[in-house]
Amino acid sequence: MKTLKGKVALITGGDRGIGRAIALKLAENGARIAIVGRDEKEIEKTSVEISDKKTRVLGIVSDITKESSAEEVFSYVEKELGSVDILINNAGIVKDNLAVTMSDTEWMDVINTNLNAQFYYARKALRNMVKKRYGKIVFITSVTGMTGNPGQANYSAAKAGLSGLTKTLAAEYAKKGITINCVAPGYTETDMSKRINSTKKKEILKTIPMGRIGQPEEIASLVAFLVSEEAAYITGQEIAVDGGFTCI
């Protein structure tokens, strides 16, 4: 069903993993897609996959941590595809370390990418959405932002910050026809999770009631619902997709 036909969706970190799955899902639903990332080869590869869905796609190489990136990217997307109706703030990095040995660079790199850049892009999107009195924003957070995780003080703080940002922005712009939610994946099959050794992975599986790691497509399905008109009365929510991990 082309439930998003005519809509323009911008996905940060849309060239791989969860972002790629979201881009493909929204394309299947008829949206015109713009993906932003740093890896030109991955962007080209994903753009080809999206174009196979018979919709327009724009691949953009940009460092989203630069405040100028949001202005440049949105201007380019509007020129090529039209004004952004849907923003998926998905881009994120990890630089794990215990707090006492975490360097200032490790802290700031993660905060800048996972929190500050998300604000820059949301702020730019909102300025345009307010004029149209329509818009959908979804932040991709993490169950780590809910529970914390040893070695990830920077990552957990950034993701928890996104949860607070979501709720605040949702309250500020609810009367403007804009919904803002966040989705918190649990352990999901991505490039990051593939780096986990088999012993550690077995330990992780014991903490998940469903006994398996999630798939990017399962995150994408929820995101597609949240940006559809069927979710028009849902805003300010953080929804975990984690196989029950946060239930125990």
Side-chain angles (χ1 to χ4, degrees), residues 109-168:
D109 283 353
V110 172
I111 296 298
N112 283 333
T113 301
N114 296 12
L115 182 58
N116 293 343
Q118 316 299 316
F119 173 70
Y120 299 150
Y121 269 68
R123 180 175 61 185
K124 178 59 181 174
L126 284 165
R127 286 171 177 164
N128 296 336
M129 291 173 176
V130 166
K131 294 175 185 177
K132 297 189 295 183
R133 299 189 72 85
Y134 177 87
K136 308 284 185 181
I137 298 177
V138 177
F139 293 95
I140 304 302
T141 59
S142 170
V143 293
T144 300
M146 298 176 172
T147 65
N149 193 36
Q152 290 193 317
N154 47 8
Y155 187 80
S156 299
K159 293 299 186 178
L162 286 181
S163 178
L165 179 62
T166 295
K167 292 175 173 62
T168 299

Side-chain angles (χ1 to χ4, degrees), residues 47-134:
S47 294
V48 170
E49 292 181 78
I50 294 170
S51 65
D52 288 343
K53 305 296 181 183
K54 309 302 180 186
T55 190
R56 291 190 64 191
V57 58
L58 199 61
I60 306 167
V61 178
S62 184
D63 179 358
I64 66 168
T65 63
K66 295 180 179 178
E67 193 171 351
S68 61
S69 171
E71 292 290 338
E72 294 166 357
V73 167
F74 275 80
S75 294
Y76 183 44
V77 173
E78 185 164 359
K79 178 183 176 182
E80 297 295 327
L81 299 179
S83 180
V84 173
D85 301 293
I86 298 164
L87 171 64
I88 311 300
N89 263 327
N90 164 76
I93 62 171
V94 293
K95 290 195 174 181
D96 298 350
N97 211 334
L98 295 176
V100 295
T101 52
M102 182 174 288
S103 68
D104 290 350
T105 299
E106 289 170 333
W107 173 265
M108 288 307 303
D109 283 353
V110 172
I111 296 298
N112 283 333
T113 301
N114 296 12
L115 182 58
N116 293 343
Q118 316 299 316
F119 173 70
Y120 299 150
Y121 269 68
R123 180 175 61 185
K124 178 59 181 174
L126 284 165
R127 286 171 177 164
N128 296 336
M129 291 173 176
V130 166
K131 294 175 185 177
K132 297 189 295 183
R133 299 189 72 85
Y134 177 87

Side-chain angles (χ1 to χ4, degrees), residues 2-19:
K2 303 297 183 182
T3 56
L4 301 177
K5 189 173 183 179
K7 304 299 183 185
V8 175
L10 171 60
I11 302 103
T12 67
D15 53 336
R16 63 178 72 213
I18 291 172

